Amino acid sequence: MLEKIKTAFTSLSAVQIVLALVVGFVCGLFPIPGITTPVVAVFGQLLGLPAGGHIVAQAVNFAITPLNVFGIPYQSCGGGLIMGTTSNFSECIGDVVENLKDVLVDPLGTIPDFATMFISAVMFWSIVCVPLGVVIGGVLSIVVSKLFPAAAQHNDLKKE
């Protein structure tokens, strides 16, 4: 498995490496569990990643799954602060954790709470994580061009 990822990684240009890493990271943080894989695939396709880029993006997506799960309450409460539905971040985190516990007791009864929680989290992701991806991409483009000079020689970086 790691050999396939390595082969895919080395087949990419510097720009494609940066795009794959950013798509995998930012879309891997999408706050609805189980949806990150198709989100990574869609954004990868929209950005024109080749097959190797999709492999690298999905590998990053899977690698940050623990960060994704851990970050959902924070994204939800951050979105609540942005939308004005939450005034106290600490209390909000406690409420989200309680909602997660309530799922074990009454799965259907928690659907309205989860809908609000996920809408807030998606709002936060859209407003904070996506622009952060642009910044990360800018930094990564410098790092990747220095660490992988051979990748910088691909056609998409050559000046006419």
Side-chain angles (χ1 to χ4, degrees), residues 82-104:
I82 291 168
M83 294 183 346
T85 58
T86 299
S87 59
N88 186 318
F89 190 79
S90 298
E91 287 179 16
C92 178
I93 295 292
D95 292 343
V96 170
V97 171
E98 285 302 314
N99 285 342
L100 293 172
K101 290 179 183 175
D102 290 345
V103 170
L104 299 173

Side-chain angles (χ1 to χ4, degrees), residues 8-56:
F9 190 89
T10 56
S11 72
L12 301 174
S13 69
V15 170
Q16 292 167 336
I17 291 169
V18 170
L19 279 175
L21 294 174
V22 170
V23 166
F25 183 78
V26 171
C27 296
L29 291 177
F30 190 75
I32 301 178
I35 303 296
T36 59
T37 299
V39 171
V40 169
V42 167
F43 274 84
Q45 193 66 31
L46 289 173
L47 292 172
L49 283 177
H54 282 277
I55 293 169
V56 172

